[in-house]
Amino acid sequence: MLQLTLWTALAGQWSDKGCRFVPDSYALVIGHGTPDRSEGCESEPGGPQYTND
């Protein structure tokens, strides 16, 4: 239960940067950890996409 709470809190940081909460934010936690200042998601026709710009 603690792991799910922590994972959700970390996913929330990606969600704050424009990423869809499910599934993108959870997947980005696995692939990138927490976002840096330059990381986030930009709106694209198929949905938000990860960017490191």
Side-chain angles (χ1 to χ4, degrees):
M1 182 69 165
L2 178 61
Q3 290 175 328
L4 181 60
T5 302
L6 179 60
W7 196 13
T8 299
L10 295 175
Q13 292 180 17
W14 284 104
S15 181
D16 291 344
K17 294 195 142 228
C19 304
R20 289 181 296 204
F21 197 69
V22 176
D24 297 338
S25 293
Y26 282 94
L28 288 165
V29 169
I30 293 169
H32 300 280
T34 58
D36 293 336
R37 283 186 286 181
S38 63
E39 294 179 309
C41 293
E42 292 181 356
S43 294
E44 297 290 332
Q49 299 294 318
Y50 168 77
T51 182
N52 190 9
D53 294 329

